[in-house]
């Protein structure tokens, strides 16, 4: 049995720093220090998104993270020429391609992989040549899963935002869970590994146990928020505890 892994997204540590220290070369809190604490607490990977607008993580952060991260660095990025060049130099273990511009987004908020197969395949080829795995952040939609498979992505990350948003309505959240299950099963049939994330928290996490074939969850906001109350080590450990006993796949 392989356990469900936790990737901690530390973007919002940088969001807090930028709120006070924007434009300055240093400031607190430090996302690299946070990454070290997450790893020591048992996180299996660290995720950071260098946005084109640099609203939270800065360029200096990703280089420091590359040096500090001992588990797996998941570099979230738009599929732009600038970000592809950075990724090829940075050499994270994996990149997760996410939409940043309106035309790249499906109505459910994931990357429109089906609409951008050519460009995404080209990037996947370049990452392959550099030994970097590729994940595509997509809505739980069968057409998108099948496009991800044709593109040759090793992973998809299923967008759990709609599930999280509808969590208070039992009927709607069950519909979203069914979509996540169907998408994960299709990916598994096609030999694509499945991660999930966005909006997962200490309350809605238990329902992720219903979704089969999950390898890793990427969680940011809820863990960084909880850290204000109990500290980052405990926040990570509490989330890991909720992820235990994920059924053997
Ligand atoms: N996965 C992806 C692809 C994301 O873009 C984000 C948000 O930056 C997350 C996971 C984490 O979402 P949250 O901060 O809501 O846990």
């Amino acid at each position: 049995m392989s356990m469900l892994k936790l990737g901690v997204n530390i973007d919002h540590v940088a969001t807090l720093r930028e709120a006070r220290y924007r434009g300055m070369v240093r400031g607190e809190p430090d996302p690299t220090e946070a990454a070290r604490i997450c790893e020591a607490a048992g996180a299996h990977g660290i995720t950071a998104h260098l946005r084109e607008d640099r609203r939270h993580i800065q360029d200096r952060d990703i280089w420091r993270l590359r040096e500090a991260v001992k588990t797996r660095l998941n570099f979230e990025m738009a599929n732009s020429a600038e970000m592809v060049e950075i990724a090829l130099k940075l050499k994270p273990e994996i990149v997760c391609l996410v939409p940043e511009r309106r035309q790249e987004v499906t109505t459910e908020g994931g990357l429109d992989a089906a609409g951008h197969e050519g460009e995404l395949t080209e990037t996947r080829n370049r990452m392959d040549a550099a030994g970097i795995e590729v994940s595509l952040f997509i809505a739980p939609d069968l057409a998108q899963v099948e496009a991800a498979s044709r593109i040759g992505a090793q992973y998809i990350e299923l967008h759990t935002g709609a599930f999280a948003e509808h969590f208070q309505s039992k009927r709607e959240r069950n519909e979203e869970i069914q979509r996540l299950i169907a998408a994960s099963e299709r990916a598994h049939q096609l030999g694509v590994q499945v991660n999930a994330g966005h909006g997962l928290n200490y309350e809605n996490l238990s329902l992720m146990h219903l979704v089969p074939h999950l390898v890793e969850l990427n969680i940011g906001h809820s863990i960084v928020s909880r850290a204000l109350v109990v500290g980052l080590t405990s926040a990570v450990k509490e989330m890991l505890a909720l992820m235990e006993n994920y059924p053997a796949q």
Side-chain angles (χ1 to χ4, degrees):
M1 182 188 126
S2 64
M3 88 202 298
L4 181 55
K5 293 178 185 158
L6 173 63
V8 180
N9 181 317
I10 45 84
D11 291 349
H12 293 315
V13 176
T15 300
L16 186 55
R17 180 194 60 198
E18 295 303 301
R20 168 66 65 212
Y21 293 101
R22 183 139 203 91
M24 306 199 187
V25 296
R26 58 171 59 83
E28 62 186 9
D30 174 16
T32 304
E33 187 181 4
R36 285 200 196 94
I37 294 168
C38 291
E39 287 190 322
H44 305 92
I46 299 296
T47 300
H49 182 183
L50 183 66
R51 294 185 61 98
E52 294 186 299
D53 63 11
R54 307 305 198 265
R55 76 170 66 146
H56 37 54
I57 294 290
Q58 304 296 306
D59 295 67
R60 68 178 190 275
D61 292 322
I62 54 161
W63 299 102
R64 294 184 60 213
L65 284 165
R66 177 62 295 181
E67 281 187 24
V69 169
K70 299 285 183 272
T71 53
R72 273 163 72 80
L73 178 61
N74 174 15
F75 182 53
E76 252 185 55
M77 55 180 262
N79 187 29
S80 68
E82 180 198 18
M83 290 300 153
V84 168
E85 290 313 315
I86 292 173
L88 291 172
K89 286 193 200 116
L90 184 70
K91 295 204 187 298
E93 278 70 25
I94 184 166
V95 293
C96 181
L97 301 177
V98 300
E100 284 190 31
R101 296 196 200 97
R102 197 173 284 263
Q103 67 270 23
E104 300 168 330
V105 190
T106 60
T107 47
E108 300 97 341
L111 186 67
D112 183 12
H116 298 83
E117 273 190 50
E119 305 102 278
L120 291 167
T121 303
E122 189 185 326
T123 297
R124 200 272 303 157
N125 280 330
R126 295 186 70 190
M127 295 299 159
D128 262 8
I132 302 167
E133 292 188 302
V134 172
S135 178
L136 302 180
F137 183 50
I138 58 172
D141 176 293
L142 297 184
Q144 297 296 337
V145 173
E146 286 159 10
S149 170
R150 287 193 298 273
I151 288 163
Q154 289 90 347
Y155 288 83
I156 53 171
E157 179 169 327
L158 291 175
H159 194 319
T160 50
F163 156 73
E165 234 171 79
H166 293 118
F167 184 72
Q168 300 308 329
S169 154
K170 234 178 178 170
R171 184 183 60 78
E172 290 179 272
R173 85 179 180 208
N174 284 339
E175 279 173 21
E176 292 302 331
I177 287 285
Q178 293 311 316
R179 296 181 67 209
L180 289 162
I181 291 171
S184 192
E185 283 178 341
R186 185 75 185 116
H188 183 70
Q189 281 172 353
L190 293 168
V192 179
Q193 303 203 71
V194 186
N195 299 332
H198 203 97
L200 297 179
N201 60 37
Y202 297 85
E203 186 185 14
N204 64 28
L205 196 283
S206 64
L207 292 185
M208 284 299 109
H209 290 247
L210 300 173
V211 181
H213 312 303
L214 293 175
V215 175
E216 181 169 295
L217 301 179
N218 273 307
I219 308 181
H221 187 272
S222 63
I223 290 176
V224 172
S225 300
R226 180 87 181 132
L228 294 177
V229 181
V230 299
L232 188 51
T233 300
S234 296
V236 170
K237 287 186 173 170
E238 285 178 16
M239 191 59 82
L240 284 167
L242 294 176
M243 291 165 59
E244 268 176 24
N245 304 318
Y246 178 68
Q249 300 300 309

